[in-house]
Amino acid sequence: ADFIDLNCDHDPSDTDDKNKDSENENKKGKKDPPSPFAPNLGVDPYEEMRQMAPSSTKDESKGGTSHLQSPQRLGGIVSGLVRGIEKEFGSKTVMSKDGSNTLVVDGIPITVKVRIGCDFFHKKNAINIQEVVKELRESGAAAITIHGRTANQGYEYDSNWSIIADVVEDEHSRRANETMAPPDMINNPQSPSNYANPITNSNRPLIIGNGDVLTYYEALRRIDQYKVDAVMVGRGALIKPWIFQEFEDGETWEPDANTRILIYRTLTDYMKEYYGDSELGKQKAFEYLPWHLQFFAKYVPHSKERYGKQSQAAPLIQQDPYSQYANNKNTRDASLLDALLASPSQEVHERIAHVLWDSRTDLETIQRLEDISQSPQFAQIRVLSEYTASAVANGEYIQKG
């Protein structure tokens, strides 16, 4: 189903590419068309959505999580989009879960992703997620994804799921205490505070939890323990894109090196389709393909039998991947090809990317990567990587990411 998501999260790793894209557009002299939605709001929702791109400048006036400092303004943007879509398409949006717990969407819902607060410049009382959720609910957001960290925390601290649970509890309590009759938007078109979320004719948005989910059993535990409607996966899906299949099947999948190479090759084929199978297309794709490979390199098999209890003590994704790699018997006994795919070296990621792009068959791809894994050059890189992994395992060295 189609939907519009306003991402007010802050991810510094995306900043350079987004700023560069913006600069390129400005150089071309292009200007996006104005929004047809809600002309009387005093803001252009399209422009506001563009400004929600992450900003490394941490400017209080624009970008990313800075919108959390003004919940009412953010609510106005959402309200304008919701009304505009209903006016444009002539139908109310409904986003709900049916009896089998399957998401049902009718129309074009507006969903919003936020962190629990904006603490740029060390602001006091930065955690204002309750106020933000209230404004978004009253403005008509169909779903709200909450990342359990503040803007400045990046990924340094564990995601605070207790705060997410507090929001869920408040929303359930409020819904139980209020009348569920839908508002009369025809008679009250200018009352955003009376504008209920179009979720099964109630005014409770779906609450989606986000942060530190790497396995299907961690996702299930979050849903059960914190009572969220769903879980959003970010970095976990970058490390192993098959996490969604694991969730569907209810079991861990541990693909071998050859199978993972075919998955990475599939991603490369998608990039060729999008950017073009040419030198120019390759140049554009290589702004992203090596970046993806640095996440793929962090993959470690995490069976529930081996890591289930450990994941309850601390999120697996927050534990150093090189330490896990050194301590995992499957990876210690792995082939040179496995070691190549797990290398943290940027040089290795670049070489793998070239092989994935230039090879014409799956067999050629695997053979070329096997040749690299057995080369003297990689042997030197591997020795350094294994030393680092051993040092991490012994507590002598810490590397985040």
Side-chain angles (χ1 to χ4, degrees):
D2 293 327
F3 68 97
I4 297 176
D5 181 64
L6 281 70
N7 190 343
C8 303
D9 204 338
H10 176 85
D11 184 355
S13 64
D14 290 340
T15 300
D16 292 339
D17 285 334
K18 290 182 180 293
N19 287 344
K20 180 164 57 178
D21 289 344
S22 176
E23 290 171 3
N24 290 338
E25 287 300 313
N26 290 336
K27 289 178 182 178
K28 295 176 184 177
K30 292 183 178 180
K31 185 176 181 180
D32 292 321
S35 166
F37 300 154
N40 296 324
L41 282 178
V43 296
D44 181 349
Y46 279 1
E47 178 59 30
E48 294 295 333
M49 289 174 65
R50 284 190 289 270
Q51 289 193 15
M52 286 178 183
S55 171
S56 64
T57 61
K58 301 182 179 179
D59 188 337
E60 288 184 283
S61 63
K62 63 179 181 179
T65 46
S66 63
H67 283 270
L68 302 181
Q69 296 177 88
S70 180
Q72 291 183 338
R73 181 179 178 82
L74 180 58
I77 297 168
V78 173
S79 179
L81 288 169
V82 171
R83 291 183 183 179
I85 286 174
E86 291 192 357
K87 181 178 180 181
E88 184 79 11
F89 298 100
S91 64
K92 183 180 288 292
T93 297
V94 175
M95 190 174 186
S96 61
K97 294 198 292 186
D98 63 15
S100 62
N101 213 33
T102 300
L103 185 65
V104 178
V105 177
D106 181 20
I108 303 179
I110 301 294
T111 66
V112 187
K113 183 171 187 283
V114 295
R115 289 201 174 207
I116 57 176
C118 180
D119 52 354
F120 292 156
F121 305 103
H122 307 287
K123 285 181 174 290
K124 295 181 179 179
N125 303 319
I127 298 178
N128 63 341
I129 187 62
Q130 302 280 8
E131 183 182 357
V132 170
V133 168
K134 174 180 179 294
E135 291 293 335
L136 294 176
R137 179 209 323 128
E138 295 180 353
S139 300
I144 304 169
T145 300
I146 303 173
H147 183 171
R149 296 181 175 92
T150 63
N152 261 351
Q153 285 178 333
Y155 297 106
E156 184 177 355
Y157 301 94
D158 293 350
S159 182
N160 191 331
W161 280 80
S162 295
I163 290 181
I164 298 175
D166 290 342
V167 173
V168 173
E169 183 178 358
D170 285 353
E171 288 300 298
H172 279 291
S173 298
R174 188 196 57 78
R175 188 181 186 190
N177 294 331
E178 291 184 2
T179 302
M180 290 295 101
D184 183 355
M185 287 308 300
I186 296 178
N187 294 330
N188 300 283
Q190 303 298 328
S191 301
S193 62
N194 292 329
Y195 191 68
N197 282 289
I199 300 177
T200 59
N201 290 327
S202 80
N203 54 355
R204 186 184 76 83
L206 297 179
I207 301 297
I208 303 170
N210 172 242
D212 301 341
V213 175
L214 182 61
T215 64
Y216 80 92
Y217 48 89
E218 288 175 301
L220 289 173
R221 189 187 310 130
R222 297 287 192 274
I223 293 173
D224 179 65
Q225 183 175 350
Y226 299 102
K227 310 305 179 186
V228 291
D229 293 296
V231 166
M232 177 179 285
V233 182
R235 290 176 297 158
L238 288 170
I239 293 171
K240 54 175 195 177
W242 51 90
I243 186 175
F244 305 104
Q245 189 63 50
E246 291 185 346
F247 188 87
E248 184 74 17
D249 297 340
E251 61 181 6
T252 304
W253 185 45
E254 300 182 3
D256 60 20
N258 287 358
T259 303
R260 298 202 304 278
I261 289 171
L262 299 186
I263 293 172
Y264 306 160
R265 183 167 160 76
T266 298
L267 171 63
T268 307
D269 288 340
Y270 287 152
M271 289 188 171
K272 286 183 178 181
E273 292 178 11
Y274 186 80
Y275 295 109
D277 189 1
S278 63
E279 281 303 314
L280 179 59
K282 182 178 180 179
Q283 181 181 348
K284 292 179 179 178
F286 269 50
E287 294 183 17
Y288 306 99
L289 186 53
W291 179 84
H292 278 283
L293 287 166
Q294 73 165 324
F295 279 99
F296 295 154
K298 298 177 183 180
Y299 168 69
V300 174
H302 285 115
S303 67
K304 185 177 181 180
E305 292 73 23
R306 179 178 175 84
Y307 286 96
K309 186 175 182 179
Q310 182 176 334
S311 70
Q312 296 180 42
L316 294 175
I317 201 168
Q318 292 295 90
Q319 300 174 35
D320 195 285
Y322 305 123
S323 175
Q324 293 181 53
Y325 187 91
N327 285 313
N328 188 302
K329 184 179 185 300
N330 291 338
T331 52
R332 285 203 308 270
D333 298 339
S335 65
L336 291 175
L337 187 56
D338 278 295
L340 179 73
L341 298 181
S343 173
S345 167
Q346 184 175 350
E347 177 185 349
V348 171
H349 301 157
E350 291 281 348
R351 293 192 67 182
I352 294 175
H354 281 288
V355 171
L356 290 171
W357 188 277
D358 295 337
S359 300
R360 292 302 166 184
T361 67
D362 294 340
L363 184 60
E364 178 189 354
T365 306
I366 294 172
Q367 185 58 59
R368 290 180 64 182
L369 290 177
E370 284 183 341
D371 290 344
I372 293 175
S373 72
Q374 298 169 17
S375 67
Q377 290 176 311
F378 178 63
Q380 295 178 350
I381 296 175
R382 182 164 55 86
V383 168
L384 178 60
S385 298
E386 289 180 349
Y387 171 78
T388 300
S390 176
V392 169
N394 295 324
E396 301 168 4
Y397 179 84
I398 297 177
Q399 178 171 341
K400 280 284 184 182

